[in-house]
Amino acid sequence: MNAEIIAIGSELLTPSRQDTNSLFLTEKLNQLGVEVVFKTVVGDNRRHLVSAARAAVSRADILIFMGGLGPTEDDLTREAVAEALDLELHRDPELLAKLEQRFATRKMTMSPNNEKQADILAGATALPNANGTAPGQWLSGKYDGKEKIIMLLPGPPHELKALFEEQCLDRLRARVPPQFIATRVLKVAMMPESQCDARVAPIYKCYPDVQTTILAGAGEIQLHLRGHAESLETAQQRVEELAGKIEDELDDFVFSRNGESLEQIVSYFLQMRNLNLAVAESCTGGMLAERITSISGSSRYFLGGAIVYSNELKTQFAGVPPELIAKHGAVSREVAVALAEGVRERCQANLGLAVTGIAGPTGGTPDKPVGLVLHALAGEGKTEVIERNFPGDRKRIRWFATQQALDMVRRRLM
């Protein structure tokens, strides 16, 4: 079975509010083996709501409407779903009495517009809401010629989550056929998305029962694998088989298969090798150290370092000769090497890592354009340098630079 989640509220179509309820519901549905195939956000407009409800009924087995069950004029979910399904609404006297009692218990006068919260779709079961005045509704039967399960849930998260777990989960378990979803996320470092897909597409196309989604970020590709089967063991077996073949193809470009960040993987390697690290940062301005120290326990392997933004501090903190900077420029292979070796020596570290570049949007030249970044990693007897030209704005370039730097450490220690 599949599902569609319809989030209702004009505030969700602004930059100031975000739908988080659907994330909670997706997790719960996936645990039952139900895949969410559509998510829709609709404003408080009856015509639009009716249209969205009719579309959802035509394409999903399970429909969950969130929000629009309050007492105000713009709370239109009950009316819109009734119109879309050609159902009558009736005011439930028992629900109305409970509403009145709720207000009376709190020594409050119930406004007349609260009465519409007792309106129930014909054939629906009212779902008690312990945390609010708007009851949910559960409806099942044939709509658009097929068996459907339809839920109307309140919008406030503390109401929706409690009501769904208390009133809906057991009902769903009784109706949903046994099916399981297995997942795996492979993370790939410093490979273009098109190149990654060109290499793995011939593999995942042979697994039509496993959904493969590729997400690209700055210096990182994520391959999300989702398999469906009537047993968890079968679903996991198919997903792991595909993951293994993708890992064989991409080899050491894959840095994680369990969701770890690149800085977590670097942490594992440094601790396994009993090594420590120091950094010298110019264009990244401390972002590299921030990522490293975001991992709990990083004091076991990270000594510290320096933000050497000016040429003077490159000399003072990392021992870069001024004449080297004058001859080659601060953004050069020679200076990157000197930074890495200098910070390693001054911090008495096993590894010295340095980044220098032009993050922009100004400061670039024809010879050294915006996006040019030099990375150097100094260790016992060997200093490695990687020169890259990263695309994007200042924020993106700086993130790319830290990603490349961390990947250098990972590859050195593999």
Side-chain angles (χ1 to χ4, degrees):
M1 298 182 75
N2 60 41
E4 178 164 352
I5 299 171
I6 303 97
I8 298 162
S10 295
E11 71 279 3
L12 299 175
L13 297 172
T14 71
S16 59
R17 292 292 294 272
Q18 187 176 8
D19 163 37
T20 57
N21 286 334
S22 68
L23 303 180
F24 164 81
L25 291 174
T26 299
E27 179 183 13
K28 295 298 181 181
L29 290 167
N30 285 174
Q31 289 171 358
L32 296 175
V34 176
E35 184 174 6
V36 177
V37 292
F38 290 96
K39 290 184 180 181
T40 304
V41 178
V42 191
D44 299 309
N45 178 291
R46 180 160 175 166
R47 180 169 57 87
H48 295 164
L49 284 168
V50 171
S51 176
R54 286 174 176 161
V57 168
S58 72
R59 62 195 180 192
D61 304 311
I62 299 171
L63 286 68
I64 303 179
F65 295 87
M66 310 181 304
L69 299 181
T72 62
E73 287 294 321
D74 60 353
D75 289 314
L76 301 166
T77 301
R78 291 171 291 257
E79 295 81 357
V81 174
E83 182 178 341
L85 300 180
D86 196 23
L87 294 174
E88 294 291 330
L89 275 174
H90 69 274
R91 188 151 295 175
D92 188 303
E94 184 177 345
L95 278 177
L96 186 57
K98 287 181 179 178
L99 275 172
E100 292 170 343
Q101 182 182 6
R102 182 185 179 92
F103 278 88
T105 302
R106 289 163 175 76
K107 294 181 170 55
M108 298 170 63
T109 301
M110 190 177 87
S111 176
N113 58 2
N114 278 105
E115 294 180 3
K116 76 174 196 174
Q117 293 184 291
D119 290 347
I120 300 296
L121 295 162
T125 299
L127 306 176
N129 180 359
N131 298 316
T133 58
Q137 300 190 37
W138 173 283
L139 196 63
S140 62
K142 278 199 172 184
Y143 301 95
D144 198 40
K146 296 180 181 178
E147 287 291 329
K148 308 286 180 180
I149 296 172
I150 300 169
M151 286 165 268
L152 277 60
L153 304 178
H158 73 287
E159 296 183 31
L160 177 141
K161 292 178 181 180
L163 194 152
F164 184 82
E165 290 185 324
E166 294 167 7
Q167 303 293 332
C168 300
L169 269 179
D170 286 343
R171 286 182 167 90
L172 279 172
R173 287 192 186 100
R175 297 290 301 275
V176 172
Q179 187 167 333
F180 296 86
I181 298 175
T183 63
R184 175 67 64 193
V185 178
L186 302 179
K187 293 187 176 183
V188 179
M190 304 310 295
M191 174 182 280
E193 181 183 19
S194 56
Q195 185 183 125
C196 179
D197 188 57
R199 290 178 62 172
V200 302
I203 301 172
Y204 68 69
K205 285 180 179 177
C206 296
Y207 288 78
D209 55 329
V210 179
Q211 179 184 351
T212 302
T213 303
I214 300 180
L215 303 177
E220 180 177 303
I221 303 295
Q222 295 184 11
L223 296 164
H224 291 250
L225 312 179
R226 292 168 59 86
H228 301 255
E230 292 184 359
S231 73
L232 184 58
E233 293 75 15
T234 301
Q236 287 177 331
Q237 186 271 329
R238 292 292 287 169
V239 167
E240 294 304 327
E241 183 179 318
L242 174 56
K245 291 184 178 181
I246 290 175
E247 286 184 273
D248 289 343
E249 170 61 31
L250 298 181
D251 197 25
D252 58 3
F253 281 100
V254 177
F255 70 83
S256 169
R257 67 188 325 267
N258 294 306
E260 302 99 335
S261 65
L262 190 50
E263 47 265 42
Q264 285 178 298
I265 298 299
V266 168
S267 166
Y268 299 155
F269 275 123
L270 285 168
Q271 292 183 82
M272 282 191 296
R273 304 285 189 266
N274 196 28
L275 298 175
N276 54 41
L277 173 70
V279 301
E281 299 183 64
S282 182
C283 67
T284 49
M287 185 184 291
L288 179 58
E290 192 281 328
R291 288 186 67 180
I292 294 169
T293 56
S294 69
I295 304 301
S296 176
S298 55
S299 59
R300 290 194 288 269
Y301 53 85
F302 183 61
L303 300 180
I307 301 172
V308 288
Y309 219 64
S310 70
N311 291 343
E312 291 76 16
L313 290 189
K314 288 178 174 65
T315 299
Q316 184 178 342
F317 290 168
V320 180
E323 57 272 19
L324 195 68
I325 299 174
K327 181 178 180 180
H328 299 286
V331 182
S332 62
R333 297 176 67 88
E334 292 79 6
V335 169
V337 168
L339 283 171
E341 293 177 349
V343 78
R344 175 175 180 264
E345 181 180 351
R346 296 207 170 187
C347 294
Q348 294 296 293
N350 301 119
L351 296 171
L353 181 60
V355 183
T356 181
I358 304 168
T362 61
T365 68
D367 292 334
K368 296 181 179 181
V370 169
L372 174 66
V373 183
L374 280 299
H375 314 75
L377 179 62
E380 187 67 37
K382 178 184 178 183
T383 299
E384 176 189 3
V385 182
I386 292 180
E387 177 179 325
R388 297 295 299 268
N389 283 277
F390 296 125
D393 59 14
R394 184 178 181 84
K395 181 179 179 181
R396 185 175 174 83
I397 289 167
R398 280 155 49 90
W399 182 267
F400 259 120
T402 62
Q403 192 80 350
Q404 178 64 76
L406 289 169
D407 196 50
M408 289 178 73
V409 178
R410 176 185 73 94
R411 288 176 176 274
R412 173 72 69 92
L413 300 181
M414 284 178 62

